[in-house]
Amino acid sequence: PKEIPPPLEIECLKVLWELEETSVRGVKEGLEPRRKLAYTTVMTLLDRLVRKGGATRRKSGRSFLYRAVLDQETVRRKAIEELADSLFDGSPQLLLRYLRQHEEQRSAASSS
């Protein structure tokens, strides 16, 4: 995939990264503590991930098992690149400077 997946697809990927391979039901149950989604919604999200190349699926009995193709590091890197490109003139250094300043401000505020 050329771009980072949308937030709900990333949530599905998080479950796949944790479980390695699972069914739609497994992803739905893995999302339960954070999100309550219908089975068909999770199935649609996983199908989109497969179409985009972010996950694979294989038939197992009467259902499919899904596995992430995108790894967590790749998604993080792409998200940081997109953030730097869109809000920091393409400069990871400006993003890092912003994060350091923000952390210093937060630390100072919590110390008061």
Side-chain angles (χ1 to χ4, degrees):
K2 294 182 177 149
E3 57 191 43
I4 61 168
L8 281 177
E9 290 176 21
I10 289 176
E11 291 298 317
C12 291
L13 281 170
K14 287 178 182 179
V15 175
L16 293 175
W17 292 329
E18 182 182 334
L19 301 177
E20 294 185 14
E21 186 177 63
T22 191
S23 64
V24 174
R25 188 165 312 285
V27 173
K28 181 183 181 317
E29 290 171 0
L31 291 170
E32 289 285 320
R34 298 182 298 269
R35 293 192 177 266
K36 304 271 190 224
L37 297 175
Y39 180 92
T40 54
T41 302
V42 175
M43 185 171 59
T44 299
L45 291 166
L46 290 169
D47 285 342
R48 284 183 191 160
L49 275 169
V50 169
R51 269 197 324 271
K52 294 177 184 177
T56 59
R57 74 174 164 215
R58 68 179 179 87
K59 189 85 164 149
S60 177
R62 293 172 40 141
S63 62
F64 286 103
L65 295 178
Y66 293 83
R67 178 181 291 272
V69 170
L70 278 175
D71 62 280
Q72 195 169 21
E73 182 59 30
T74 299
V75 172
R76 284 180 174 163
R77 183 176 37 78
K78 287 181 180 199
I80 295 298
E81 288 170 1
E82 189 174 296
L83 181 63
D85 287 346
S86 64
L87 297 176
F88 295 92
D89 299 324
S91 172
Q93 292 79 14
L94 284 176
L95 171 58
L96 188 56
R97 188 176 318 139
Y98 173 82
L99 292 172
R100 285 186 182 136
Q101 288 172 350
H102 182 71
E103 182 59 30
E104 289 169 7
Q105 291 169 356
R106 238 178 61 194
S107 293
S110 67
S111 299
S112 310

